[in-house]
Amino acid sequence: MKLKPDMIPKKLARGNITVAVIGLGWMGLPLACLFAEAGAKVLGADKNQKLVDKLNRGESPFEEPKLGQLIAKHVSSGKLKSMNNVENAASGSEVIIITVPTLVDNQKQADYTILESACKELSKGLIPGALVILMSTVAPNVVEKIVKPILEKHSGLITGEDFGLAYSPIRAMSGRALKDIQEYKKIVGGFDDASLKAASAVLSTIVKSGIIRTSNIKTAEASKLFETIYRDLNIALANELALYCERAEIDYYEAMKAANTQPYSHLHHPGIGVGGHCLPLYPYMLQTEAQSVGLKLKLIKDARRINDEMPKHVARLAASGLRQVGRSLTRAKVTILGISYRANVKEIRYSPTIELIEALKRRGSKVKVYDPKFIFAEIKTMGYESEATIETVLKDAECIILTVGHDEFKELDPMKLASLSAKGCAIVDAAGILKPKEIEKTGMIYRGVGRGVWTK
Protein backbone atom coordinates (compact mmCIF):
# COMPACT_ATOMS: atom_id res chain seq x y z
CA MET A 1 0.00 0.00 0.00
CA LYS A 2 1.04 3.57 -0.64
CA LEU A 3 -0.41 4.74 2.66
CA LYS A 4 2.23 4.86 5.42
CA PRO A 5 0.57 4.56 8.84
CA ASP A 6 2.81 7.11 10.57
CA MET A 7 2.06 9.71 7.89
CA ILE A 8 -1.70 9.15 7.58
CA PRO A 9 -2.95 11.44 10.42
CA LYS A 10 -0.90 14.43 9.19
CA LYS A 11 -1.75 13.91 5.52
CA LEU A 12 -5.45 13.47 6.29
CA ALA A 13 -5.53 16.59 8.49
CA ARG A 14 -3.97 18.60 5.64
CA GLY A 15 -6.54 17.38 3.15
CA ASN A 16 -4.04 15.27 1.23
CA ILE A 17 -6.07 12.06 1.63
CA THR A 18 -9.47 11.53 0.02
CA VAL A 19 -11.90 9.24 1.80
CA ALA A 20 -14.83 7.66 -0.04
CA VAL A 21 -17.80 6.63 2.09
CA ILE A 22 -20.07 4.15 0.29
CA GLY A 23 -23.55 4.28 1.77
CA LEU A 24 -24.76 7.57 3.28
CA GLY A 25 -27.32 6.29 5.75
CA TRP A 26 -27.73 6.70 9.49
CA MET A 27 -24.11 5.74 10.16
CA GLY A 28 -22.33 6.37 6.87
CA LEU A 29 -23.24 10.05 6.75
CA PRO A 30 -22.01 10.84 10.29
CA LEU A 31 -18.77 9.03 9.45
CA ALA A 32 -18.35 11.08 6.28
CA CYS A 33 -18.85 14.30 8.24
CA LEU A 34 -16.35 13.28 10.93
CA PHE A 35 -13.67 12.57 8.33
CA ALA A 36 -14.36 15.95 6.72
CA GLU A 37 -14.13 17.54 10.15
CA ALA A 38 -10.77 15.80 10.64
CA GLY A 39 -9.50 17.44 7.45
CA ALA A 40 -10.00 14.84 4.73
CA LYS A 41 -11.60 15.39 1.38
CA VAL A 42 -14.69 13.18 1.43
CA LEU A 43 -16.57 11.69 -1.50
CA GLY A 44 -19.89 10.21 -0.43
CA ALA A 45 -21.66 7.71 -2.66
CA ASP A 46 -25.26 6.53 -2.40
CA LYS A 47 -27.74 5.09 -4.90
CA ASN A 48 -30.49 7.39 -3.62
CA GLN A 49 -30.32 10.37 -5.98
CA LYS A 50 -32.75 12.44 -3.88
CA LEU A 51 -30.52 11.96 -0.85
CA VAL A 52 -27.44 12.91 -2.88
CA ASP A 53 -29.11 16.06 -4.18
CA LYS A 54 -30.19 17.05 -0.70
CA LEU A 55 -26.70 16.57 0.70
CA ASN A 56 -25.13 18.61 -2.09
CA ARG A 57 -27.47 21.45 -1.12
CA GLY A 58 -26.05 21.24 2.39
CA GLU A 59 -29.21 19.73 3.91
CA SER A 60 -29.49 16.73 6.24
CA PRO A 61 -31.79 13.92 5.06
CA PHE A 62 -32.65 12.89 8.63
CA GLU A 63 -32.52 14.16 12.19
CA GLU A 64 -29.32 13.49 14.12
CA PRO A 65 -27.87 15.86 16.75
CA LYS A 66 -25.27 18.27 15.24
CA LEU A 67 -25.22 16.42 11.92
CA GLY A 68 -27.01 19.17 10.01
CA GLN A 69 -24.42 21.76 11.03
CA LEU A 70 -21.53 19.55 9.92
CA ILE A 71 -23.14 18.81 6.56
CA ALA A 72 -23.74 22.50 5.87
CA LYS A 73 -20.21 23.41 6.97
CA HIS A 74 -18.34 20.86 4.89
CA VAL A 75 -20.50 21.05 1.78
CA SER A 76 -19.93 24.81 1.84
CA SER A 77 -16.17 24.37 2.28
CA GLY A 78 -16.02 21.80 -0.52
CA LYS A 79 -14.71 19.03 1.71
CA LEU A 80 -17.87 16.93 1.41
CA LYS A 81 -19.24 16.02 -2.01
CA SER A 82 -21.86 13.38 -2.77
CA MET A 83 -22.63 11.36 -5.88
CA ASN A 84 -24.59 8.29 -6.93
CA ASN A 85 -21.69 6.64 -8.76
CA VAL A 86 -19.76 4.27 -6.49
CA GLU A 87 -17.06 3.55 -9.06
CA ASN A 88 -16.25 7.25 -9.49
CA ALA A 89 -16.07 7.79 -5.74
CA ALA A 90 -13.68 4.86 -5.35
CA SER A 91 -11.47 5.87 -8.25
CA GLY A 92 -10.75 9.22 -6.67
CA SER A 93 -9.97 7.95 -3.18
CA GLU A 94 -7.06 6.49 -1.24
CA VAL A 95 -9.37 5.22 1.51
CA ILE A 96 -12.73 3.57 0.81
CA ILE A 97 -15.16 2.92 3.65
CA ILE A 98 -18.20 0.71 3.10
CA THR A 99 -21.28 1.37 5.25
CA VAL A 100 -24.11 -0.10 3.18
CA PRO A 101 -27.02 -1.96 4.83
CA THR A 102 -26.80 -5.67 5.57
CA LEU A 103 -30.13 -7.42 5.95
CA VAL A 104 -31.98 -10.62 6.77
CA ASP A 105 -34.36 -12.26 4.28
CA ASN A 106 -37.84 -13.69 4.88
CA GLN A 107 -36.30 -17.03 5.91
CA LYS A 108 -34.22 -15.26 8.61
CA GLN A 109 -31.02 -15.84 6.67
CA ALA A 110 -28.30 -13.22 6.28
CA ASP A 111 -28.66 -11.22 3.07
CA TYR A 112 -25.51 -9.48 1.79
CA THR A 113 -26.87 -8.63 -1.65
CA ILE A 114 -26.43 -4.86 -1.22
CA LEU A 115 -22.91 -5.32 0.12
CA GLU A 116 -21.96 -7.59 -2.78
CA SER A 117 -23.26 -5.07 -5.30
CA ALA A 118 -21.38 -2.20 -3.63
CA CYS A 119 -18.14 -4.20 -3.61
CA LYS A 120 -18.53 -5.06 -7.28
CA GLU A 121 -19.04 -1.44 -8.25
CA LEU A 122 -16.29 0.05 -6.11
CA SER A 123 -13.79 -2.58 -7.25
CA LYS A 124 -14.06 -1.23 -10.79
CA GLY A 125 -12.66 2.04 -9.52
CA LEU A 126 -10.24 0.62 -6.94
CA ILE A 127 -6.79 2.09 -7.44
CA PRO A 128 -3.49 0.37 -6.54
CA GLY A 129 -2.32 1.35 -3.08
CA ALA A 130 -5.80 2.08 -1.73
CA LEU A 131 -7.23 0.86 1.59
CA VAL A 132 -10.74 -0.64 1.83
CA ILE A 133 -12.40 -0.70 5.26
CA LEU A 134 -15.72 -2.51 5.65
CA MET A 135 -17.86 -1.12 8.50
CA SER A 136 -21.22 -2.72 7.71
CA THR A 137 -22.19 -5.37 10.25
CA VAL A 138 -21.46 -8.87 8.98
CA ALA A 139 -20.94 -12.37 10.36
CA PRO A 140 -17.46 -13.88 10.79
CA ASN A 141 -15.75 -14.84 7.50
CA VAL A 142 -17.81 -12.51 5.31
CA VAL A 143 -14.90 -10.18 4.57
CA GLU A 144 -12.58 -12.97 3.50
CA LYS A 145 -15.16 -15.23 1.81
CA ILE A 146 -17.40 -12.63 0.13
CA VAL A 147 -15.87 -9.14 0.11
CA LYS A 148 -12.25 -10.04 -0.73
CA PRO A 149 -13.03 -12.35 -3.71
CA ILE A 150 -15.38 -9.76 -5.26
CA LEU A 151 -12.86 -6.94 -4.90
CA GLU A 152 -10.08 -9.02 -6.43
CA LYS A 153 -12.19 -10.44 -9.27
CA HIS A 154 -13.52 -7.11 -10.54
CA SER A 155 -10.44 -4.98 -9.88
CA GLY A 156 -7.76 -7.38 -11.06
CA LEU A 157 -5.79 -6.43 -7.94
CA ILE A 158 -4.48 -8.67 -5.16
CA THR A 159 -5.33 -8.09 -1.49
CA GLY A 160 -2.27 -7.31 0.58
CA GLU A 161 -0.09 -6.69 -2.45
CA ASP A 162 -2.04 -4.08 -4.41
CA PHE A 163 -4.54 -2.81 -1.83
CA GLY A 164 -5.25 -3.08 1.88
CA LEU A 165 -8.35 -4.60 3.44
CA ALA A 166 -9.69 -4.20 6.98
CA TYR A 167 -12.86 -4.50 9.02
CA SER A 168 -14.06 -2.14 11.73
CA PRO A 169 -17.67 -2.33 12.95
CA ILE A 170 -19.66 0.80 13.68
CA ARG A 171 -20.57 0.99 17.37
CA ALA A 172 -23.21 3.68 17.57
CA MET A 173 -26.93 4.30 17.88
CA SER A 174 -29.15 6.73 16.01
CA GLY A 175 -29.77 9.84 18.06
CA ARG A 176 -26.18 9.86 19.29
CA ALA A 177 -24.20 8.60 16.31
CA LEU A 178 -21.58 11.37 16.16
CA LYS A 179 -20.90 11.11 19.88
CA ASP A 180 -20.76 7.30 19.92
CA ILE A 181 -18.45 7.02 16.91
CA GLN A 182 -15.96 9.34 18.55
CA GLU A 183 -16.20 8.13 22.13
CA TYR A 184 -16.39 4.34 21.84
CA LYS A 185 -13.15 2.46 21.24
CA LYS A 186 -12.78 1.39 17.61
CA ILE A 187 -12.32 -2.32 16.97
CA VAL A 188 -10.14 -3.06 13.94
CA GLY A 189 -9.09 -6.28 12.21
CA GLY A 190 -6.83 -6.38 9.16
CA PHE A 191 -6.14 -8.80 6.32
CA ASP A 192 -2.44 -8.36 7.10
CA ASP A 193 -0.30 -6.24 9.40
CA ALA A 194 0.03 -3.41 6.90
CA SER A 195 -3.76 -3.21 6.46
CA LEU A 196 -4.28 -3.30 10.22
CA LYS A 197 -1.82 -0.49 10.90
CA ALA A 198 -3.11 1.68 8.05
CA ALA A 199 -6.77 1.23 9.04
CA SER A 200 -5.93 1.97 12.69
CA ALA A 201 -4.16 5.17 11.65
CA VAL A 202 -7.08 6.30 9.48
CA LEU A 203 -9.66 5.65 12.17
CA SER A 204 -7.54 7.28 14.89
CA THR A 205 -8.27 10.63 13.22
CA ILE A 206 -11.96 10.49 14.21
CA VAL A 207 -11.87 8.39 17.40
CA LYS A 208 -10.98 9.93 20.76
CA SER A 209 -10.92 6.83 22.94
CA GLY A 210 -8.42 4.61 21.16
CA ILE A 211 -8.18 1.57 18.90
CA ILE A 212 -8.57 -2.12 19.75
CA ARG A 213 -6.63 -4.26 17.27
CA THR A 214 -7.83 -7.83 16.90
CA SER A 215 -5.61 -10.69 15.74
CA ASN A 216 -7.68 -11.25 12.60
CA ILE A 217 -10.68 -9.95 10.70
CA LYS A 218 -13.18 -12.60 11.78
CA THR A 219 -12.63 -11.76 15.44
CA ALA A 220 -13.51 -8.14 14.71
CA GLU A 221 -16.58 -9.31 12.76
CA ALA A 222 -17.66 -11.50 15.68
CA SER A 223 -17.20 -8.73 18.26
CA LYS A 224 -19.99 -6.58 16.82
CA LEU A 225 -22.46 -9.45 16.65
CA PHE A 226 -21.55 -10.59 20.15
CA GLU A 227 -22.14 -7.19 21.76
CA THR A 228 -25.46 -6.84 19.92
CA ILE A 229 -26.65 -10.33 20.82
CA TYR A 230 -25.64 -9.74 24.44
CA ARG A 231 -28.14 -6.88 24.57
CA ASP A 232 -30.84 -8.84 22.77
CA LEU A 233 -30.53 -11.76 25.19
CA ASN A 234 -30.59 -9.51 28.22
CA ILE A 235 -33.72 -7.76 26.98
CA ALA A 236 -35.32 -11.16 26.38
CA LEU A 237 -34.44 -12.17 29.94
CA ALA A 238 -36.05 -8.99 31.25
CA ASN A 239 -39.15 -9.62 29.15
CA GLU A 240 -39.51 -13.21 30.33
CA LEU A 241 -39.05 -12.23 33.97
CA ALA A 242 -41.61 -9.47 33.40
CA LEU A 243 -44.14 -12.02 32.15
CA TYR A 244 -43.58 -14.02 35.31
CA CYS A 245 -44.00 -10.93 37.49
CA GLU A 246 -47.39 -10.18 35.95
CA ARG A 247 -48.63 -13.65 36.93
CA ALA A 248 -46.95 -13.62 40.35
CA GLU A 249 -48.27 -10.16 41.32
CA ILE A 250 -44.78 -8.67 41.54
CA ASP A 251 -43.55 -5.32 40.25
CA TYR A 252 -40.61 -6.23 38.00
CA TYR A 253 -39.16 -2.72 38.24
CA GLU A 254 -39.00 -2.85 42.02
CA ALA A 255 -37.41 -6.31 41.93
CA MET A 256 -35.00 -5.20 39.19
CA LYS A 257 -33.79 -2.17 41.14
CA ALA A 258 -33.25 -4.29 44.24
CA ALA A 259 -31.44 -7.03 42.32
CA ASN A 260 -29.20 -4.54 40.52
CA THR A 261 -27.72 -3.32 43.77
CA GLN A 262 -25.63 -6.50 43.50
CA PRO A 263 -22.56 -5.46 41.43
CA TYR A 264 -22.84 -8.43 39.05
CA SER A 265 -26.55 -8.00 38.32
CA HIS A 266 -27.40 -5.80 35.33
CA LEU A 267 -31.04 -6.59 34.62
CA HIS A 268 -32.45 -4.62 31.68
CA HIS A 269 -35.84 -2.94 31.28
CA PRO A 270 -38.63 -4.98 29.68
CA GLY A 271 -40.95 -3.53 27.06
CA ILE A 272 -42.87 -3.92 23.84
CA GLY A 273 -39.96 -5.64 22.10
CA VAL A 274 -36.79 -4.70 20.25
CA GLY A 275 -36.47 -2.35 17.29
CA GLY A 276 -33.93 -0.50 15.20
CA HIS A 277 -31.71 -1.91 12.48
CA CYS A 278 -29.39 -3.87 14.79
CA LEU A 279 -30.97 -6.09 17.43
CA PRO A 280 -33.84 -7.56 15.38
CA LEU A 281 -31.47 -8.61 12.56
CA TYR A 282 -27.92 -9.30 13.68
CA PRO A 283 -28.62 -12.43 15.79
CA TYR A 284 -29.89 -14.09 12.61
CA MET A 285 -26.62 -13.24 10.84
CA LEU A 286 -24.69 -15.23 13.42
CA GLN A 287 -27.23 -18.04 13.22
CA THR A 288 -26.71 -18.21 9.44
CA GLU A 289 -22.96 -18.52 9.90
CA ALA A 290 -23.35 -21.05 12.74
CA GLN A 291 -25.53 -23.25 10.55
CA SER A 292 -22.73 -23.39 7.98
CA VAL A 293 -20.48 -25.02 10.58
CA GLY A 294 -23.19 -27.38 11.84
CA LEU A 295 -24.20 -25.55 15.02
CA LYS A 296 -27.64 -24.44 16.21
CA LEU A 297 -27.64 -21.41 18.53
CA LYS A 298 -30.67 -22.34 20.62
CA LEU A 299 -30.44 -19.63 23.27
CA ILE A 300 -30.11 -16.87 20.67
CA LYS A 301 -33.11 -18.25 18.77
CA ASP A 302 -35.22 -18.37 21.94
CA ALA A 303 -34.32 -14.79 22.82
CA ARG A 304 -35.40 -13.59 19.38
CA ARG A 305 -38.70 -15.44 19.76
CA ILE A 306 -39.40 -13.91 23.18
CA ASN A 307 -38.68 -10.37 22.01
CA ASP A 308 -40.62 -10.80 18.77
CA GLU A 309 -43.71 -11.96 20.70
CA MET A 310 -43.86 -8.94 23.03
CA PRO A 311 -46.09 -6.76 20.76
CA LYS A 312 -48.74 -9.50 20.85
CA HIS A 313 -48.41 -9.67 24.62
CA VAL A 314 -49.00 -5.92 24.88
CA ALA A 315 -52.14 -6.38 22.76
CA ARG A 316 -53.27 -9.08 25.21
CA LEU A 317 -52.74 -6.67 28.12
CA ALA A 318 -54.94 -4.16 26.31
CA ALA A 319 -57.65 -6.80 25.86
CA SER A 320 -57.39 -7.70 29.57
CA GLY A 321 -57.81 -4.09 30.63
CA LEU A 322 -60.78 -3.52 28.34
CA ARG A 323 -62.55 -6.63 29.64
CA GLN A 324 -62.68 -5.08 33.12
CA VAL A 325 -65.14 -2.49 31.85
CA GLY A 326 -67.08 -4.79 29.52
CA ARG A 327 -65.27 -3.82 26.36
CA SER A 328 -63.21 -5.76 23.84
CA LEU A 329 -60.57 -4.95 21.28
CA THR A 330 -63.19 -5.25 18.56
CA ARG A 331 -64.22 -1.71 17.63
CA ALA A 332 -62.33 -0.30 20.63
CA LYS A 333 -60.91 3.19 20.20
CA VAL A 334 -57.20 2.65 20.87
CA THR A 335 -54.61 5.42 21.01
CA ILE A 336 -50.96 4.43 20.62
CA LEU A 337 -48.51 6.86 22.20
CA GLY A 338 -45.16 6.40 20.48
CA ILE A 339 -44.16 4.79 17.19
CA SER A 340 -40.37 5.30 17.41
CA TYR A 341 -38.44 2.15 18.17
CA ARG A 342 -36.57 3.81 21.04
CA ALA A 343 -37.13 6.70 23.43
CA ASN A 344 -36.24 10.20 22.26
CA VAL A 345 -35.32 9.31 18.67
CA LYS A 346 -37.21 9.95 15.46
CA GLU A 347 -36.77 6.53 13.88
CA ILE A 348 -39.23 3.71 13.15
CA ARG A 349 -37.04 1.04 11.49
CA TYR A 350 -38.26 -2.34 12.76
CA SER A 351 -40.24 -0.62 15.51
CA PRO A 352 -42.21 -3.26 17.45
CA THR A 353 -45.06 -0.77 17.69
CA ILE A 354 -45.78 -1.40 14.02
CA GLU A 355 -46.47 -5.07 14.79
CA LEU A 356 -48.66 -4.02 17.74
CA ILE A 357 -50.74 -1.76 15.50
CA GLU A 358 -51.24 -4.55 12.98
CA ALA A 359 -52.22 -6.99 15.75
CA LEU A 360 -54.82 -4.54 17.07
CA LYS A 361 -56.24 -3.90 13.61
CA ARG A 362 -56.59 -7.64 13.04
CA ARG A 363 -58.73 -7.73 16.18
CA GLY A 364 -60.92 -4.93 14.83
CA SER A 365 -59.62 -2.03 16.91
CA LYS A 366 -59.84 1.56 15.68
CA VAL A 367 -56.26 2.72 16.11
CA LYS A 368 -54.81 6.22 16.25
CA VAL A 369 -51.11 6.98 16.63
CA TYR A 370 -49.33 9.92 18.20
CA ASP A 371 -45.62 10.53 18.59
CA PRO A 372 -44.16 13.94 19.53
CA LYS A 373 -41.05 13.23 17.46
CA PHE A 374 -43.15 13.24 14.27
CA ILE A 375 -45.50 15.85 12.92
CA PHE A 376 -49.10 14.95 12.15
CA ALA A 377 -48.51 14.75 8.38
CA GLU A 378 -45.57 12.36 8.78
CA ILE A 379 -47.65 9.86 10.73
CA LYS A 380 -50.48 10.14 8.21
CA THR A 381 -47.96 9.45 5.43
CA MET A 382 -47.04 6.21 7.22
CA GLY A 383 -50.67 5.15 6.74
CA TYR A 384 -51.88 5.62 10.32
CA GLU A 385 -54.76 7.63 11.71
CA SER A 386 -53.56 10.45 13.93
CA GLU A 387 -54.35 13.90 15.32
CA ALA A 388 -52.32 17.09 15.48
CA THR A 389 -52.14 17.25 19.28
CA ILE A 390 -51.98 14.79 22.13
CA GLU A 391 -55.19 16.25 23.57
CA THR A 392 -57.19 15.53 20.44
CA VAL A 393 -55.71 12.06 19.89
CA LEU A 394 -56.63 11.08 23.47
CA LYS A 395 -60.20 12.40 23.30
CA ASP A 396 -62.67 9.59 24.02
CA ALA A 397 -59.96 6.90 23.79
CA GLU A 398 -61.12 3.65 25.36
CA CYS A 399 -57.58 2.27 25.57
CA ILE A 400 -54.24 4.09 25.68
CA ILE A 401 -51.02 2.19 25.03
CA LEU A 402 -47.72 3.81 25.95
CA THR A 403 -45.04 2.08 23.89
CA VAL A 404 -41.92 4.21 24.33
CA GLY A 405 -40.55 6.41 27.11
CA HIS A 406 -40.15 9.75 25.31
CA ASP A 407 -39.40 12.57 27.73
CA GLU A 408 -42.68 14.22 26.70
CA PHE A 409 -44.62 11.15 27.85
CA LYS A 410 -42.90 11.13 31.23
CA GLU A 411 -44.58 14.47 31.92
CA LEU A 412 -48.10 13.13 31.35
CA ASP A 413 -50.50 13.87 34.18
CA PRO A 414 -52.72 10.89 35.11
CA MET A 415 -55.68 13.15 35.88
CA LYS A 416 -55.38 14.79 32.47
CA LEU A 417 -55.26 11.38 30.80
CA ALA A 418 -58.43 10.38 32.64
CA SER A 419 -60.26 13.63 31.80
CA LEU A 420 -59.50 13.41 28.10
CA SER A 421 -60.19 9.72 27.56
CA ALA A 422 -63.42 7.73 27.81
CA LYS A 423 -64.73 6.76 31.24
CA GLY A 424 -63.08 3.55 32.44
CA CYS A 425 -60.29 3.87 29.88
CA ALA A 426 -57.71 1.09 30.03
CA ILE A 427 -54.11 2.24 29.93
CA VAL A 428 -51.25 -0.10 29.08
CA ASP A 429 -47.77 1.03 30.05
CA ALA A 430 -45.23 -0.88 27.95
CA ALA A 431 -42.53 1.72 28.65
CA GLY A 432 -42.48 1.46 32.45
CA ILE A 433 -42.91 5.20 33.04
CA LEU A 434 -46.29 5.42 34.81
CA LYS A 435 -47.10 4.67 38.45
CA PRO A 436 -49.82 2.01 38.69
CA LYS A 437 -51.44 3.38 41.87
CA GLU A 438 -51.69 6.90 40.48
CA ILE A 439 -53.39 5.61 37.34
CA GLU A 440 -55.91 3.53 39.27
CA LYS A 441 -56.76 6.46 41.56
CA THR A 442 -58.12 8.30 38.52
CA GLY A 443 -60.59 5.50 37.81
CA MET A 444 -58.69 4.19 34.80
CA ILE A 445 -57.82 0.52 34.39
CA TYR A 446 -54.07 -0.10 34.58
CA ARG A 447 -51.97 -2.76 32.88
CA GLY A 448 -48.18 -2.68 32.48
CA VAL A 449 -45.45 -4.94 31.15
CA GLY A 450 -43.98 -6.61 34.21
CA ARG A 451 -46.12 -4.59 36.63
CA GLY A 452 -48.09 -7.37 38.27
CA VAL A 453 -49.55 -5.02 40.88
CA TRP A 454 -52.78 -3.87 39.26
CA THR A 455 -55.85 -4.36 41.45
CA LYS A 456 -58.69 -4.23 38.91
Side-chain angles (χ1 to χ4, degrees), residues 145-176:
K145 291 184 178 180
I146 296 178
V147 174
K148 176 178 170 288
I150 292 175
L151 295 178
E152 291 182 337
K153 177 181 178 180
H154 295 280
S155 70
L157 303 177
I158 300 174
T159 310
E161 294 183 19
D162 301 316
F163 69 95
L165 180 60
Y167 179 75
S168 181
I170 296 173
R171 312 173 79 193
M173 292 196 298
S174 57
R176 47 178 294 165

Side-chain angles (χ1 to χ4, degrees), residues 72-331:
K73 173 183 176 181
H74 295 300
V75 168
S76 177
S77 70
K79 283 186 177 180
L80 176 61
K81 296 180 180 179
S82 301
M83 60 189 71
N84 70 353
N85 191 302
V86 174
E87 180 180 346
N88 287 349
S91 65
S93 305
E94 291 84 14
V95 177
I96 303 165
I97 293 174
I98 308 171
T99 58
V100 298
T102 48
L103 305 172
V104 170
D105 64 22
N106 292 334
Q107 285 71 47
K108 305 298 184 183
Q109 298 293 301
D111 181 358
Y112 300 117
T113 305
I114 298 174
L115 174 60
E116 291 170 3
S117 177
C119 289
K120 182 177 180 179
E121 291 188 49
L122 79 84
S123 65
K124 296 175 183 177
L126 188 61
I127 59 176
L131 171 67
V132 179
I133 307 174
L134 176 64
M135 291 194 180
S136 304
T137 301
V138 296
N141 297 309
V142 166
V143 170
E144 299 207 26
K145 291 184 178 180
I146 296 178
V147 174
K148 176 178 170 288
I150 292 175
L151 295 178
E152 291 182 337
K153 177 181 178 180
H154 295 280
S155 70
L157 303 177
I158 300 174
T159 310
E161 294 183 19
D162 301 316
F163 69 95
L165 180 60
Y167 179 75
S168 181
I170 296 173
R171 312 173 79 193
M173 292 196 298
S174 57
R176 47 178 294 165
L178 289 167
K179 181 179 179 181
D180 286 352
I181 291 169
Q182 294 177 89
E183 295 188 357
Y184 291 166
K185 290 182 181 295
K186 210 78 178 77
I187 298 169
V188 186
F191 172 77
D192 54 17
D193 191 57
S195 298
L196 178 62
K197 289 178 178 177
S200 298
V202 169
L203 295 170
S204 71
T205 64
I206 64 169
V207 176
K208 300 176 181 178
S209 54
I211 304 292
I212 299 173
R213 299 182 180 184
T214 59
S215 59
N216 50 51
I217 286 179
K218 64 183 177 182
T219 300
E221 291 169 319
S223 70
K224 175 59 184 286
L225 292 185
F226 288 4
E227 66 183 51
T228 303
I229 290 168
Y230 171 85
R231 288 164 53 209
D232 195 41
L233 262 66
N234 274 280
I235 293 170
L237 173 62
N239 282 330
E240 190 155 63
L241 293 177
L243 298 179
Y244 163 74
C245 286
E246 291 173 22
R247 296 284 186 93
E249 300 182 355
I250 296 170
D251 187 334
Y252 172 85
Y253 285 88
E254 182 182 0
M256 176 193 73
K257 289 176 183 177
N260 284 352
T261 60
Q262 210 282 346
Y264 298 106
S265 179
H266 304 284
L267 290 171
H268 287 38
H269 286 217
I272 189 174
V274 175
H277 183 70
C278 299
L279 272 65
L281 302 185
Y282 296 163
Y284 294 118
M285 290 184 182
L286 188 62
Q287 283 188 324
T288 301
E289 173 61 20
Q291 289 167 7
S292 71
V293 295
L295 182 65
K296 293 183 179 179
L297 303 177
K298 298 177 183 178
L299 180 60
I300 293 173
K301 183 178 180 180
D302 286 344
R304 280 281 74 237
R305 176 185 54 78
I306 292 168
N307 289 334
D308 282 346
E309 289 177 354
M310 289 307 293
K312 294 178 182 178
H313 175 68
V314 172
R316 288 194 290 269
L317 287 178
S320 169
L322 285 165
R323 279 197 298 270
Q324 296 303 308
V325 290
R327 296 179 179 132
S328 70
L329 284 175
T330 304
R331 293 186 295 279

Side-chain angles (χ1 to χ4, degrees), residues 3-21:
L3 294 171
K4 304 300 180 184
D6 56 335
M7 296 299 296
I8 286 174
K10 291 181 180 179
K11 290 184 68 175
L12 192 147
R14 293 171 182 163
N16 294 326
I17 290 178
T18 300
V19 177
V21 178

